[in-house]
Amino acid sequence: MNYRLLLPVLLFLMFGCQPASQDQTSGSESTKYEDLVNLFQEWRSFEKPPLLEGAPDYSAATFARRRPAFEQLRQRLMVMNDTSWPVAQQVDWNIVRAEMNGYDFNDRILQPWVRDPAFYKSVWMERSDVPAHEGPTHHAITELWTYVFPLTTEEKERLIHDLQVIPPLNKQAMQNLSGNAKDLWVTGIRDIRTQAADLQTILGLPGVAGDDELVTAIQNANTSTLELVSWLEGEAPMKNGPSGIGKENYTWYQQNVHLVPLTWNDEVILLKLELARAWSALKLEEHRNRDLPQLQAVNSPEAYDSLAEQGVRSLIDFLEKEDIVTVKDYFEPAIREHLGSFVPAEERNFFLITAHHDPRPLFSHFYHWFELARMDTEPHPSVIRRGPLLYNIFDSRNEGTATAVEELFMQAGLYDDSPRTREIVYIMIAQRAARGLGSLYAQANEMTMEEAGGIHSEYTPRGWMKTEKELRIFEQHLYLRQPGYGTSYITGKYLLENTLAQFARKQEAIGEPFQLKDFFDRLNAIGNIPIWLGSWEMTGDRTDVNQLLNGNQNETIPLK
């Protein structure tokens, strides 16, 4: 490891940001925040592609035809003068800019509709635990989890309309998918094949089999899906190209779209540091606990239910009694929907292994569900932050927070009653650092997806990633599809810890006591935006971000 590179990472004095007014081009300026809101709404309307035979149109000709309209929208954003706006409104300007950068990057570089068969997955059986589905998705997906069976007449019509998108979209996929990304192609076939199985599952839901119109729509979608699978399998032997976007593109994307102030190299260093720290901390915990009995995994449904009940009560009581965060009425119901159930030992993946020993580390990560419940019940006053940000731009905030609180809650005392549970926390950090490190090498095209999965598996303690390969394939495939997602757990954790430190220093400088509840309540109120922007808004200090939002505008490199 090159320790000379460590200093800028730890001090966080890297990329910075210029005020939006210094980023402007010539043209008519606007100084009204209301104009930004109106532009945002126009932008979101534009971002949805037109329809082709009833499905979103992702053809190259349509993207080329729409490019001038996009450039006009971006020009209107860039000539806005936000220097007199409150910080929160300046943050909103930068969110819109990041989304537009995401559209530009997807159009020119990532092109999931060309390179990534999984982009055409339409049926989603469950809600994501982050604001939107992880990874690139098309604009007309079927969210089956939003339906209650048996269906009302109105809901039946909605589902039929959803399903009728699938055949023309799959037909389009066989025209648009001309990329040569081998790992994305081969692994993406699994997603489409899974869709066929999910459609068969829908046929067995209450009230479906007896409705001829609904059955026909499902069967048509299933036939089309199987045809796409067959076509993808036929094309697969000819695919031999890399799937990563390369180091330069990765860095540009992180800094200009996801607003993570790190380069590819910086992230490698950071994840190596976290991996080493997690392993060494784990061994110190094991040494300290050497005279204590090992945690034993529960071995029956009744034992798991009892353990999960104890875990959720312990977590909620801890958050409230220890003044960690303001516990809202929706916290406990939100997490109770996801307590899980007993799984036999031979079928457990990494996270299920941890949960069957003590589910509280995983339940801490389920801070996700508190955040989604807040989005549902307490919409953010800013329309720009009210819904999910596009292109998974929320990853450093949501995945970073969920990962950070696992250790923060531990350090605040959650496991004082169970010292061995601390070991699980460090195992989980090591797993996330290892899988993220593998994903970085895959994005740089220095490793195949399978080789990246080897790091993921080999560097997770106790062999807990070797018990069930499907999780490893799922995770590495997602991180190859969505650059930066695999590292966001650790980079976001780091950025959140840095924000906490900045916030605490500010409180100390003005003679105010630091209160953890105040920090988390302010973090929650800011919404699901990149944590680096959240840091600026929470502290009012943009010194560390002075170059990020405008200082890294090198051109991306088209993929071949």
Side-chain angles (χ1 to χ4, degrees):
M1 183 181 300
N2 187 340
Y3 288 94
R4 290 181 300 170
L5 295 178
L6 177 59
L7 183 58
V9 175
L10 296 179
L11 294 180
F12 232 82
L13 301 173
M14 289 177 290
F15 305 113
C17 222
Q18 298 294 329
S21 59
Q22 295 183 24
D23 190 34
Q24 294 165 0
T25 57
S26 60
S28 177
E29 284 189 356
S30 169
T31 58
K32 296 179 180 178
Y33 176 73
E34 292 77 10
D35 290 338
L36 175 65
V37 173
N38 292 335
L39 177 61
F40 170 76
Q41 292 169 331
E42 290 182 53
W43 149 246
R44 282 298 189 89
S45 178
F46 166 85
E47 198 272 341
K48 298 176 182 177
L51 299 180
L52 175 64
E53 298 180 345
D57 183 357
Y58 298 104
S59 64
T62 295
F63 273 101
R65 174 174 56 83
R66 302 181 77 219
R67 187 74 192 193
F70 166 71
E71 295 294 354
Q72 290 178 3
L73 288 169
R74 182 156 65 173
Q75 173 72 6
R76 286 169 55 192
L77 177 71
M78 301 310 287
V79 298
M80 286 185 177
N81 186 343
D82 68 349
T83 54
S84 64
W85 299 356
V87 168
Q89 294 180 359
Q90 294 185 54
V91 166
D92 281 353
W93 184 94
N94 283 290
I95 292 170
V96 179
R97 182 187 177 192
E99 287 197 345
M100 290 188 179
N101 283 344
Y103 177 93
D104 177 59
F105 189 87
N106 276 9
D107 183 16
R108 296 184 298 104
I109 306 298
L110 194 62
Q111 295 187 324
W113 45 87
V114 173
R115 305 172 63 245
D116 179 8
F119 176 78
Y120 292 95
K121 176 184 174 181
S122 293
V123 178
W124 294 82
M125 304 295 280
E126 297 178 348
R127 184 178 189 177
S128 175
D129 63 0
V130 289
H133 289 295
E134 301 165 333
T137 56
H138 69 77
H139 290 75
I141 59 177
T142 299
E143 299 277 21
L144 199 75
W145 58 273
T146 65
Y147 292 91
V148 177
F149 292 83
L151 300 171
T152 64
T153 300
E154 181 180 351
E155 287 294 273
K156 185 191 86 167
E157 293 303 317
R158 179 167 76 95
L159 181 55
I160 289 174
H161 179 268
D162 280 356
L163 295 170
Q164 287 175 339
V165 171
I166 295 176
L169 184 70
N170 288 344
K171 174 184 174 183
Q172 192 185 139
M174 290 184 275
Q175 298 170 343
N176 295 342
L177 283 168
S178 59
N180 190 33
K182 179 180 178 180
D183 282 343
L184 286 179
W185 193 283
V186 172
T187 315
I189 297 173
R190 298 168 71 255
D191 293 60
I192 307 303
R193 190 181 292 116
T194 298
Q195 175 168 294
D198 289 340
L199 287 164
Q200 288 298 118
T201 298
I202 298 173
L203 284 172
L205 295 177
V208 173
D211 191 308
D212 292 342
E213 187 179 11
L214 186 53
V215 168
T216 298
I218 295 170
Q219 290 177 338
N220 289 343
N222 191 47
T223 298
S224 168
T225 299
L226 292 173
E227 289 174 352
L228 179 56
V229 169
S230 179
W231 179 80
L232 290 168
E233 290 175 336
E235 295 288 313
M238 295 175 281
K239 304 301 175 183
N240 56 17
S243 295
I245 62 174
K247 297 178 185 179
E248 294 83 1
N249 285 340
Y250 182 91
T251 293
W252 191 96
Y253 185 70
Q254 286 291 82
Q255 294 177 359
N256 294 280
V257 180
H258 286 238
L259 303 184
V260 172
L262 301 168
T263 66
W264 182 91
N265 286 317
D266 293 328
E267 292 196 2
V268 169
I269 293 171
L270 178 59
L271 268 67
K272 283 183 175 180
L273 284 170
E274 275 292 274
L275 183 58
R277 186 184 71 87
W279 266 90
S280 60
L282 170 63
K283 294 307 162 183
L284 290 172
E285 288 291 340
E286 290 173 345
H287 176 78
R288 188 176 72 168
N289 300 332
R290 63 192 181 279
D291 295 330
L292 299 177
Q294 294 284 346
L295 285 179
Q296 298 297 319
V298 292
N299 57 10
S300 71
E302 295 77 16
Y304 179 86
D305 291 345
S306 176
L307 187 66
E309 176 62 28
Q310 295 172 27
V312 71
R313 274 266 50 91
S314 171
L315 175 62
I316 296 296
D317 289 347
F318 168 77
L319 295 179
E320 191 158 29
K321 293 177 181 178
E322 297 300 324
D323 288 330
I324 307 298
V325 63
T326 297
V327 175
K328 298 297 185 75
D329 292 341
Y330 51 74
F331 274 28
E332 187 168 338
I335 200 171
R336 281 191 175 278
E337 292 182 14
H338 304 279
L339 298 187
S341 58
F342 176 76
V343 174
E346 64 273 13
E347 299 175 18
R348 294 172 196 161
N349 64 25
F350 172 80
F351 294 107
L352 293 176
I353 293 171
T354 71
H356 281 67
H357 285 83
D358 188 334
R360 286 180 293 177
L362 186 60
F363 288 175
S364 296
H365 194 85
F366 285 0
Y367 200 89
H368 279 318
W369 298 110
F370 301 158
E371 297 187 314
L372 292 184
R374 186 181 66 252
M375 287 181 66
D376 292 342
T377 60
E378 297 183 79
H380 198 279
S382 166
V383 67
I384 294 171
R385 309 185 198 189
R386 195 164 297 160
L389 303 189
L390 301 179
Y391 316 122
N392 286 188
I393 292 173
F394 50 76
D395 59 358
S396 69
R397 166 63 173 82
N398 294 95
E399 297 293 9
T401 298
T403 304
V405 298
E406 295 170 14
E407 187 170 3
L408 291 175
F409 293 170
M410 176 187 76
Q411 300 294 10
L414 178 57
Y415 306 121
D416 286 355
D417 64 340
S418 178
R420 284 278 185 190
T421 301
R422 296 172 61 93
E423 298 169 15
I424 295 177
V425 173
Y426 288 119
I427 293 170
M428 292 174 73
I429 294 173
Q431 189 261 5
R432 293 196 175 93
R435 71 187 185 185
L437 190 59
S439 77
L440 282 168
Y441 293 129
Q443 285 294 347
N445 294 315
E446 295 180 358
M447 288 186 177
T448 64
M449 196 184 93
E450 183 176 1
E451 290 168 338
I455 294 180
H456 188 167
S457 177
E458 293 299 323
Y459 285 85
T460 296
R462 298 184 183 174
W464 283 4
M465 273 303 302
K466 297 180 179 180
T467 63
E468 195 268 344
K469 68 177 182 179
E470 290 301 312
L471 176 65
R472 184 177 71 250
I473 294 172
F474 166 80
E475 291 183 331
Q476 288 299 329
H477 182 219
L478 167 63
Y479 306 153
L480 196 54
R481 299 182 63 230
Q482 178 59 66
Y485 208 97
T487 60
S488 68
Y489 302 80
I490 298 299
T491 58
K493 173 181 180 290
Y494 164 50
L495 293 172
L496 185 139
E497 291 169 346
N498 185 74
T499 300
L500 191 155
Q502 286 184 310
F503 184 80
R505 288 198 300 270
K506 178 184 175 183
Q507 297 297 96
E508 184 175 294
I510 61 176
E512 293 289 337
F514 171 81
Q515 297 182 349
L516 193 57
K517 177 187 279 190
D518 187 27
F519 172 79
F520 274 111
D521 287 351
R522 294 194 189 193
L523 181 72
N524 291 342
I526 285 171
N528 301 305
I529 64 174
I531 189 60
W532 207 219
L533 289 180
S535 177
W536 173 22
E537 185 168 334
M538 289 178 68
T539 65
D541 181 4
R542 63 181 292 160
T543 302
D544 286 344
V545 289
N546 271 347
Q547 296 174 3
L548 172 62
L549 303 181
N550 190 45
N552 301 283
Q553 299 298 312
N554 294 330
E555 284 299 313
T556 48
I557 301 172
L559 304 181
K560 297 180 180 179

